[in-house]
Amino acid sequence: MAFKNKILVTGGLGYIGSHTVISLIENGYDPIIVDNMCNSKIEALNRIEKISGVRPNTYIADVRDEEKMEQIFKENKIDAVIHFAGLKAVGESVQKPKLYYDNNIGSTEVLLKKMKEHGVKNIVFSSSATVYGNPKKVPIVESDPIGEVTNPYADTKVQIEYILQALAKQDPSLGIAILRYFNPIGAHPSGLIGEDPRGIPNNLMPYVTQVAVGKLPELNVFGNDYPTRDGTCIRDYIHVCDLARGHVLTLKKLEQGPGLVIYNLGTSVGTTVLELVNAFMKANNITIPYKIAPRRAGDIPECYANCDKAYKEIGFKTQYNIVDCCRDSWNWQKKNPNGLN
Ligand code: NAD
Ligand code: UDP
């Protein structure tokens, strides 16, 4: 049965959330957003409106705030929740583990409680390839072991997956989708929304675009002595608009009936750090100065997905390649050198 009512999008002003809100609107859904703006700006909402012509009903609130969540569930008839809200910086999670457990697990607990009280049966959860830890083999399939992780951020994702899996067993009327994202990059082709990290970026693509725009002098390539084709680490970079569409396809799957599904969302293609940097330079005709720096603690050599399951079960297939990703990331950064202001 199609979801005729609203889709609650927690963290809907963030990077992946805002792109997914656009996809939802384009596909006839009615998203409502809850975001506490700890890592987003209200300008994202203006940009969503500019792109889609729709200004989704938005609550600036913390998902852990039970009273506020009660109000949101009371005021809106909700068919399903997409739960993006969470903190995501690996390094910060090592420094502030309690903050990460409180925020990521605490928000999920409140959300699940309110869903139960209001008879909302469907949830899509933003998990991460990080739950696989250092994979024993690549490409990674969904049945590969999870849980051997080394930082609190990853552990919050593992714990939430366990909670959701237990719930699915206990209540077969629920529709639960766990999506394990690989490395989202790129931006909406309009250049109006994109990734807007606070401070110096930790992730590769926003670092590259900030070098390109002149905010940072050069890229440090963390290690070129890994056992890979050029010695730099391999990741699976997926365009954020492909990822967003994956959520729409997942909702359609949940519309078919209850149960638990788990999908890798990536491209099934591994790209090294140097390949990404070279693709960026070629796609945009820009030089990115870089130097080889020591390895970054905790990095794994190789991580990329096998996405056959998502293709077979929900028809998920990427439409953007690495060149598109590089073009759209740069388009976003050059139009918004200081992010969303
Ligand atoms: P983001 O920080 O841009 O978006 C998260 C949003 O959630 C932000 O707008 C933030 O303000 C909001 N938020 C955080 N805690 C909240 C709370 N308690 N209540 C209300 N709002 C809250 O991050 P993103 O890159 O869009 O990631 C979205 C989700 O996907 C996160 O759960 C993240 O862990 C997961 N994920 C991201 C990546 C990635 O590389 N970007 C990879 C795998 C998984
Ligand atoms: N990386 C890098 N320089 C940077 C940021 C990242 O060389 O300034 C490398 C990093 O070591 C890893 C890859 O780029 O091999 C992807 O890093 P990112 O943090 O984006 O993703 P993750 O490692 O969390 O998958």
Side-chain angles (χ1 to χ4, degrees):
M1 199 187 56
F3 296 150
K4 292 263 178 272
N5 299 309
K6 295 178 179 172
I7 310 295
L8 179 63
V9 184
T10 77
L13 296 181
Y15 174 45
I16 308 170
S18 57
H19 288 82
T20 302
V21 164
I22 304 279
S23 257
L24 289 171
I25 295 168
E26 284 171 355
N27 285 279
Y29 290 97
D30 184 3
I32 64 159
I33 295 171
V34 54
D35 198 304
N36 67 359
M37 296 213 298
C38 69
N39 198 35
S40 56
K41 298 185 189 123
I42 198 67
E43 180 59 17
L45 186 60
N46 301 332
R47 304 288 179 94
I48 288 170
E49 184 178 12
K50 216 170 181 177
I51 295 169
S52 68
V54 174
R55 191 173 183 88
N57 191 5
T58 299
Y59 295 82
I60 303 306
D62 195 300
V63 178
R64 288 168 296 178
D65 181 340
E66 283 203 47
E67 258 175 50
K68 198 74 194 175
M69 292 304 285
E70 175 63 24
Q71 182 200 340
I72 296 172
F73 276 87
K74 253 198 195 137
E75 286 179 3
N76 299 279
K77 206 165 162 24
I78 293 167
D79 276 328
V81 178
I82 307 182
H83 184 31
F84 292 106
L87 299 173
K88 62 167 183 178
V90 173
E92 186 186 49
S93 80
V94 176
Q95 302 307 318
K96 303 176 184 169
K98 192 169 177 323
L99 175 70
Y100 272 66
Y101 286 106
D102 281 352
N103 191 74
N104 293 5
I105 298 184
S107 63
T108 308
E109 280 173 346
V110 170
L111 189 60
L112 292 171
K113 179 171 178 222
K114 289 295 146 194
M115 286 174 64
K116 189 173 165 79
E117 287 171 4
H118 290 267
V120 178
K121 302 248 177 215
N122 298 288
I123 181 167
V124 179
F125 172 62
S126 298
S127 189
S128 166
T130 190
V131 298
Y132 295 113
N134 189 355
K136 297 219 163 36
K137 61 168 185 54
V138 283
I140 300 168
V141 291
E142 289 83 349
S143 53
D144 284 345
I146 68 163
E148 265 196 46
V149 298
T150 53
N151 64 78
Y153 165 67
D155 195 42
T156 66
K157 294 294 178 193
V158 171
Q159 298 306 323
I160 295 168
E161 285 208 15
Y162 290 156
I163 293 171
L164 293 173
Q165 295 192 26
L167 266 183
K169 257 195 203 141
Q170 178 243 329
D171 183 352
S173 74
L174 298 176
I176 297 179
I178 293 172
L179 301 182
R180 295 177 181 153
Y181 311 152
F182 281 68
N183 289 58
I185 59 170
H188 192 270
S190 64
L192 286 167
I193 53 172
E195 190 170 9
D196 184 15
R198 290 182 184 212
I200 296 178
N202 295 308
N203 297 115
L204 179 59
M205 183 55 99
Y207 204 105
V208 167
T209 60
Q210 293 205 8
V211 171
V213 86
K215 291 181 83 174
L216 293 167
E218 65 178 350
L219 171 71
N220 294 301
V221 173
F222 297 141
N224 69 346
D225 56 353
Y226 287 97
T228 62
R229 46 187 177 266
D230 63 18
T232 65
C233 293
I234 291 179
R235 296 289 182 272
D236 185 340
Y237 297 97
I238 175 170
H239 195 292
V240 66
C241 291
D242 277 329
L243 191 57
R245 217 170 24 81
H247 292 76
V248 171
L249 295 171
T250 302
L251 285 183
K252 297 205 181 298
K253 173 77 178 173
L254 294 183
E255 286 170 356
Q256 289 165 17
L260 170 73
V261 291
I262 302 178
Y263 300 125
N264 285 341
L265 293 185
T267 64
S268 308
V269 177
T271 303
T272 70
V273 175
L274 290 179
E275 284 166 355
L276 184 87
V277 173
N278 284 323
F280 187 92
M281 295 201 275
K282 199 165 166 212
N284 299 312
N285 203 14
I286 288 180
T287 301
I288 301 293
Y290 67 83
K291 70 166 190 291
I292 305 299
R295 289 181 174 196
R296 182 172 71 176
D299 269 345
I300 54 173
E302 224 176 340
C303 177
Y304 63 96
N306 174 322
C307 299
D308 290 353
K309 188 168 177 233
Y311 176 64
K312 280 190 197 118
E313 294 190 13
I314 61 172
F316 177 72
K317 200 165 170 257
T318 54
Q319 294 176 350
Y320 296 87
N321 62 25
I322 200 80
V323 175
D324 302 321
C325 290
C326 291
R327 181 200 59 218
D328 290 340
S329 285
W330 175 229
N331 182 43
W332 148 253
Q333 182 75 79
K334 79 175 169 217
K335 287 183 176 157
N336 305 272
N338 298 311
L340 287 170
N341 280 303

